């Protein structure tokens, strides 16, 4: 990390004062120093205390200056229209995550409001959403907030899962925090049969442990005592299906952690949230896909093992195979990881059938028709850049058959997530 | 008579947003950007490309005379731009993003396609909030650019100027009245003066507005000082949104 030029330091000190001089080394630019100083002051002004204003500002600037992330210094991070409480030990929600979460809620809103008329009994069918590796609970909380507002009559059943007790405690705290700030309506109690029924729960579980995860996954509607349609399993709707599975799992390799994370991440954020533990990889080592190819039949990878930072995707896709969620969204670290995950999907016959169909190759890719299923890569900053779309051709399988992948988001954005939509499910956006 | 339609909350943090580059130095400070939508009414903004070009290209674009004052309830609605005329400018963050970085990068840059006016907003820590703010700020700028004297900002500005004038006048009058009372001791004179003022329309708002406006005007004075620095006023310390045409 290059040192701050002394000149800039003095300039900052002169212009913005001693507090800023503390912030400058971590903020790097005058602009972001000025921003953070203002946010710190606003925060102090808004939280009453008997300690004088100046002393508190100074103390927070001091902590921030030592590298503690601003969200830990201030104790929260905005996420969509929510305020998410943050504390050391639980990962701070990122703007990238916020962006695709908003996009997801738009997808769900459109697909539901267009496919359903008011008289449709399906509205009583809850929208089932599960977020694995939920951390602060930011993803399920924002989805709950957005969907309860945009689909006011829709029943919701949203679940967050994390291995860390600290994260689960914090996610529950975040539920109450935003509830008290009137940012969204109170969830229904499970016995409350009034309509719409909105459920939002957080559970502690290790996603690699079937014994603790299966009970959560196998009952999408925990309140679904309404056995009306459970037996007659119509293909696209019905109790017992997850409409959306999201996950922002740990995805950084040990070497990536040492070399390419920012210091404030490395020093202050929990490694459990960032780097998949090696034991998991050993435990989960198995044959997952055959071969996969890129354009021109160039073989990129022929091993049957995945890279260690991809182990959570292997597990998430295993879950997708079993529970067949209508939509899956997995955050990834970059375009390369996104491609590897796509390769894992397309290289697995069952997953490919579920999410890609046996879609014949059509150039221009998009015209695969409604309900054809989709495997997509989303780049950063999809919100505000919805119009951008690229086509990527991926050859997969022993025969090297070409498949079309749609890449969405601004072309300069990093690859940020992989989106799967099951065959037969229609999205409008 | 107490009408309180025109609400100008002094919002200190927002006052730092920017000083305008179009026409004259603008005072965006006290505009209630944060409070709610503009009531759903559509703005008086010429949106077709040709209209924009006409305005932009005209030698004397703002020749039509605007009444020097408007009653508060005649204020134009806060302008709003249609989404399809807006384009977010992609701000490439440094580094890989995602879990590897925890920067507080909440800035949003927004362009109005027909006029090519671009503004950047990093006022709050929330990108969602900044996207909303950016839209409001840009709408105000475009309105001013297209409608000049008739824009909401210009009109709001005029009303305030008028108010300040009338305040000065009132002070003068008070002084005069004292003089006159001392000399004659009549009341009729005062009523006559009030009537004259009414016709002129100096008084647009109820008295209770006075305080809020005063706070606002104080800010304005500070901004005026900044403005003296000319170009430099464009980028102020702690300032988060810079505007300008690109
Ligand atoms: C990258 S963080 C994501 C947090 C949050 N979803 C977000 O986007 O801000 C990953 C989370 O996964 C959790 N986690 C790690 N291993 C897990 C496991 N085996 N089962 C469930 N959760 C796990 C961590 O505790 C951490 O909260």
């Amino acid at each position: 990390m290059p040192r701050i030029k002394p000149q800039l330091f003095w300039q900052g000190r002169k212009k913005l004062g001693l507090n800023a001089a503390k912030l400058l080394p971590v903020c790097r630019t005058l602009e972001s120093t000025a921003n953070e100083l203002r946010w710190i002051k606003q925060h102090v002004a808004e939280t009453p205390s008997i300690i004088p204003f100046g002393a508190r500002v100074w103390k927070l600037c001091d902590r921030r200056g030592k590298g503690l992330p601003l969200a830990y210094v201030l104790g929260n991070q905005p996420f969509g229209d929510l305020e998410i409480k943050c504390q050391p030990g639980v990962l701070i929600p990122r703007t990238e995550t916020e962006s695709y979460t908003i996009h997801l809620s738009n997808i769900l809103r459109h697909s539901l409001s267009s496919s359903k008329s008011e008289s449709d009994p399906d509205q009583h069918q809850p929208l089932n959403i599960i977020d694995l590796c939920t951390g602060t609970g930011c993803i399920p909380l924002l989805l709950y907030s957005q969907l309860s507002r945009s689909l006011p009559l829709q029943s919701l059943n949203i679940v967050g899962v994390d291995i860390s007790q600290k994260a689960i405690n914090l996610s529950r705290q975040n539920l109450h925090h935003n509830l008290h700030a009137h940012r969204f309506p109170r969830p229904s109690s499970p016995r409350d049969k009034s309509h719409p029924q909105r459920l939002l729960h957080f559970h502690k579980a290790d996603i690699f442990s079937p014994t603790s995860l299966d009970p959560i996954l196998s009952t999408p509607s925990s309140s679904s005592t309404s056995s009306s349609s459970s037996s007659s399993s119509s293909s696209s709707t019905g109790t017992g299906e997850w409409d959306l599975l999201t996950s922002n799992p740990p995805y950084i390799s040990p070497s990536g952690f040492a070399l390419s994370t920012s210091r404030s991440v490395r020093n202050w954020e929990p490694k459990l949230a960032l780097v998949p533990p090696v034991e998991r990889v050993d435990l989960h080592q198995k044959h997952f896909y055959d071969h996969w190819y890129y354009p021109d039949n160039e073989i990129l990878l022929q091993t049957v093992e995945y890279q260690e930072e991809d182990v959570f995707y292997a597990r998430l896709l295993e879950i997708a195979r079993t529970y067949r969620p209508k939509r899956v969204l997995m955050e990834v670290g970059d375009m390369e990881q996104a491609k590897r995950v796509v390769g894992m999907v397309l290289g697995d016959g069952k997953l490919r059938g579920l999410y890609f169909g046996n879609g014949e190759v059509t150039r221009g890719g998009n015209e695969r028709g409604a309900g054809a299923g989709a495997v997509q890569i989303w780049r950063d900053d999809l919100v505000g850049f919805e119009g951008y779309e690229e086509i990527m051709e991926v050859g997969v399988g022993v025969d090297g058959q070409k498949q079309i992948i749609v890449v969405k988001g601004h072309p300069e954005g990093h690859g940020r997530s992989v989106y799967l939509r099951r065959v037969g499910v229609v999205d409008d956006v | 008579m107490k009408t309180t339609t025109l609400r100008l909350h002094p919002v200190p943090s927002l006052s730092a947003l920017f000083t305008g580059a179009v026409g004259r130095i603008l005072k965006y400070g006290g505009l209630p950007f944060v409070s709610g939508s503009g009531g759903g009414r559509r703005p008086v903004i010429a949106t077709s490309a040709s209209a924009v070009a006409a305005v932009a290209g005209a030698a004397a674009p703002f020749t039509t005379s605007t009444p020097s004052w408007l009653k508060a309830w005649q204020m134009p609605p806060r302008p709003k731009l249609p989404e399809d005329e807006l384009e977010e400018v992609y701000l490439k963050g440094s580094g890989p993003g995602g879990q590897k970085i925890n920067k507080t990068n909440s800035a949003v840059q927004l362009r109005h396609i027909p006029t090519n006016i671009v503004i950047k907003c990093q006022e709050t820590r929330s990108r969602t909030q900044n996207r909303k703010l950016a839209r409001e700020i840009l709408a105000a700028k475009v309105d001013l650019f297209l409608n000049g004297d008739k824009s909401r900002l210009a009109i709001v500005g005029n009303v305030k100027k008028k108010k300040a004038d009338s305040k000065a006048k009132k002070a003068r009058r008070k002084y005069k009245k004292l003089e006159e009372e001392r000399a004659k001791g009549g009341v009729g004179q005062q009523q006559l003066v009030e009537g004259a003022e009414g016709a002129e329309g100096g008084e647009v708002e109820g008295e209770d507005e006075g305080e809020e406006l005063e706070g606002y005007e104080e800010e304005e004075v500070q901004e005026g000082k900044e403005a003296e620095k000319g170009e430099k006023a464009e980028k102020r310390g702690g300032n988060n949104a810079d505007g300008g045409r690109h």
Side-chain angles (χ1 to χ4, degrees):
Chain A
M1 194 153 67
R3 278 196 44 202
I4 299 266
K5 285 197 213 112
Q7 188 193 346
L8 181 65
F9 186 82
W10 287 110
Q11 204 186 334
R13 201 185 139 154
K14 211 174 121 206
K15 253 187 152 164
L16 302 167
L18 282 170
N19 284 320
K22 282 232 175 265
L23 298 179
L24 199 54
V26 287
C27 294
R28 317 289 305 164
T29 65
L30 279 184
E31 194 182 33
S32 102
T33 302
N35 282 341
E36 292 205 7
L37 182 57
R38 191 180 65 253
W39 295 329
I40 288 173
K41 285 181 175 170
Q42 272 168 6
H43 170 86
V44 171
E46 282 161 14
T47 43
S49 160
I50 46 160
I51 304 164
F53 179 85
R56 291 169 67 208
V57 170
W58 175 253
K59 182 158 181 223
L60 296 189
C61 286
D62 186 53
R63 282 207 217 147
R64 177 69 183 121
K66 290 188 172 121
L68 190 69
L70 188 67
Y72 290 157
V73 173
L74 304 183
N76 62 59
Q77 171 68 35
F79 194 76
D81 50 358
L82 304 182
E83 185 180 271
I84 298 294
K85 284 180 169 287
C86 296
Q87 49 183 245
V90 185
L91 191 98
I92 300 161
R94 308 291 201 253
T95 46
E96 291 88 344
T97 309
E98 171 184 351
S99 184
Y100 67 71
T101 304
I102 293 173
H103 189 70
L104 278 173
S105 79
N106 290 337
I107 285 182
L108 291 174
R109 169 166 51 101
H110 281 113
S111 66
L112 267 94
S113 54
S114 68
S115 73
K116 288 184 181 180
S117 64
E118 270 129 62
S119 57
D120 199 320
D122 261 12
Q123 272 193 344
H124 294 263
Q125 202 78 260
L127 194 58
N128 294 311
I129 300 175
I130 188 159
D131 179 48
L132 302 178
C133 303
T134 201
T136 53
C138 56
I139 298 174
L141 288 165
L142 185 54
L143 288 173
Y144 181 87
S145 163
Q146 303 254 313
L147 293 171
S148 57
R149 192 172 325 139
S150 62
L151 299 168
L153 298 175
Q154 177 64 50
S155 289
L156 302 171
N157 173 41
I158 304 185
V159 180
V161 175
D162 203 284
I163 196 173
S164 143
Q165 187 61 51
K166 207 166 187 178
I168 290 303
N169 293 345
L170 189 60
S171 62
R172 288 178 182 151
Q173 218 179 307
N174 272 318
L175 167 58
H176 291 111
H177 178 64
N178 285 285
L179 201 59
H180 288 138
H182 304 290
R183 290 196 167 89
F184 49 60
R186 180 173 293 280
S188 330
S189 83
R191 264 168 294 280
D192 183 4
K193 285 289 171 227
S194 66
H195 191 77
Q197 193 181 42
R198 299 196 189 97
L199 304 174
L200 178 51
H201 291 291
F202 293 98
H203 301 289
K204 180 177 182 291
D206 176 353
I207 70 157
F208 287 89
S209 151
T211 50
S212 63
L213 194 65
D214 282 349
I216 300 169
L217 278 167
S218 56
T219 55
S221 291
S222 55
S223 63
S224 69
T225 43
S226 53
S227 52
S228 54
S229 66
S230 58
S231 52
S232 60
S233 58
S234 60
S235 62
S236 58
T237 57
T239 320
E241 282 204 309
W242 293 102
D243 293 278
L244 173 65
L245 181 151
T246 57
S247 185
N248 175 13
Y251 56 60
I252 305 175
S253 67
S255 68
F257 181 76
L259 300 173
S260 58
T261 53
S262 76
R263 193 184 301 169
S264 120
V265 171
R266 209 161 50 241
N267 291 349
W268 301 94
E269 292 199 272
K271 202 167 174 181
L272 170 72
L274 300 162
V275 184
V278 196
E279 319 87 72
R280 293 280 175 235
V281 184
D282 296 340
L283 201 87
H284 210 70
Q285 201 72 262
K286 68 191 189 82
H287 179 93
F288 202 81
Y289 49 93
D290 311 311
H291 312 281
W292 51 296
Y293 302 87
Y294 268 99
D296 313 310
N297 277 356
E298 176 199 358
I299 301 170
L300 281 192
L301 193 75
Q302 260 194 309
T303 58
V304 291
E305 292 157 14
Y306 34 79
Q307 290 175 226
E308 53 190 331
E309 66 267 36
D310 297 344
V311 65
F312 274 77
Y313 305 112
R315 172 61 182 149
L316 289 167
L317 290 175
E318 188 179 67
I319 291 167
R321 256 163 157 254
T322 314
Y323 292 95
R324 308 158 24 105
K326 290 187 189 171
R327 302 173 185 83
V328 180
L329 186 112
M330 293 167 284
E331 183 171 322
V332 295
D334 56 24
M335 188 53 88
E336 285 316 303
Q337 192 163 38
K339 287 177 184 171
R340 292 198 302 271
V341 174
V342 165
M344 289 161 110
V345 176
L346 296 183
D348 179 290
K350 180 147 187 231
L351 283 172
R352 181 167 17 155
L354 274 175
Y355 294 102
F356 211 78
N358 298 309
E360 30 355 295
V361 188
T362 46
R363 292 207 77 91
N366 259 335
E367 303 106 46
R368 294 185 70 243
V375 177
Q376 301 177 348
I377 295 175
W378 292 356
R379 293 180 188 272
D380 279 339
D381 292 306
L382 209 54
V383 174
F385 302 94
E386 287 88 351
Y388 291 92
E389 228 170 71
E390 288 162 59
I391 303 298
M392 192 189 281
E393 216 172 53
V394 189
V396 176
V398 217
D399 51 355
Q401 198 198 5
K402 294 242 165 61
Q403 303 282 9
I404 300 291
I405 299 297
V406 177
V407 181
K408 294 191 166 194
H410 193 279
E412 284 179 64
H414 296 288
R416 186 56 61 211
S417 54
V418 173
Y419 176 67
L420 311 178
R421 190 183 61 228
R422 207 176 68 190
V423 173
V425 177
V426 184
D427 286 346
D428 272 0
V429 279
Chain B
M1 182 199 69
K2 300 212 166 186
T3 44
T4 51
T5 323
L6 176 69
R7 291 180 300 122
L8 295 167
H9 314 287
V11 184
S13 57
L14 279 171
S15 73
L17 283 182
F18 56 81
T19 50
V22 185
R24 61 198 172 89
I25 299 295
L26 299 171
K27 319 297 191 294
Y28 285 68
L31 279 183
F33 280 130
V34 228
S35 56
S37 68
R41 277 176 295 170
R42 280 274 140 170
V44 212
I45 292 184
T47 47
S48 77
S50 60
V52 172
V55 173
F62 313 126
T63 44
T64 38
S65 67
T66 323
S68 57
W69 60 275
L70 275 181
K71 293 202 185 276
W73 56 87
Q74 289 175 327
M75 279 295 162
R78 216 162 294 130
K80 195 168 185 286
L81 298 168
E83 270 304 303
D84 57 7
E85 287 184 10
L86 300 177
E87 178 191 75
E88 272 193 36
V89 182
Y90 185 72
L91 295 173
K92 196 168 170 55
S94 57
Q99 290 170 12
K100 290 183 172 176
I101 303 277
N102 59 15
K103 263 240 204 82
T104 50
N105 51 345
S106 61
V108 169
Q109 200 165 322
L110 198 64
R111 185 170 86 97
H112 180 242
I113 302 165
T115 58
N116 205 25
I117 295 175
V118 180
I119 63 117
K120 183 178 175 186
C121 180
Q122 49 186 326
E123 174 63 19
T124 74
R125 291 168 68 211
S126 157
R127 178 165 295 171
T128 303
Q129 186 62 24
N130 287 346
R131 294 180 84 235
K132 285 185 195 141
L133 281 174
R135 274 157 180 76
E136 289 166 13
I137 295 164
L138 187 59
K141 283 210 100 169
V142 169
D143 180 31
L144 184 88
F145 175 67
L146 295 179
N147 300 325
D149 287 353
K150 285 182 180 164
S151 71
R152 183 186 159 85
L153 281 175
I155 291 165
V156 170
N158 262 335
V159 169
K160 278 190 298 157
K161 188 171 170 293
K162 199 71 210 175
K163 231 187 126 62
D165 289 352
S166 101
K167 212 190 281 175
K169 199 197 287 167
K170 216 186 267 174
R172 258 182 275 129
R173 196 167 62 226
K174 207 174 191 175
Y175 181 73
K176 206 169 133 198
K177 202 175 86 180
L178 273 176
E179 294 273 272
E180 284 166 354
E181 271 172 3
R182 217 175 291 153
K184 300 174 195 169
V187 195
Q189 184 79 8
Q190 191 202 341
Q191 275 167 347
L192 216 134
V193 175
E194 288 287 352
E197 190 201 13
E200 216 181 308
E203 208 67 44
V204 277
E205 292 128 347
E207 285 296 328
D208 55 341
E209 286 286 324
E211 265 185 40
E212 273 180 277
L213 277 168
E214 253 147 65
Y216 180 77
E217 277 161 1
E218 260 167 53
E219 269 180 71
E220 211 178 355
V221 173
Q222 285 177 357
E223 291 208 295
K225 272 182 214 150
E226 291 271 347
E228 279 163 31
K229 289 177 212 158
E231 286 294 333
K232 276 179 194 157
E234 283 263 301
K235 282 216 169 176
R236 307 172 36 180
N239 168 343
N240 304 304
D242 34 42
R245 301 194 57 228
H246 289 225

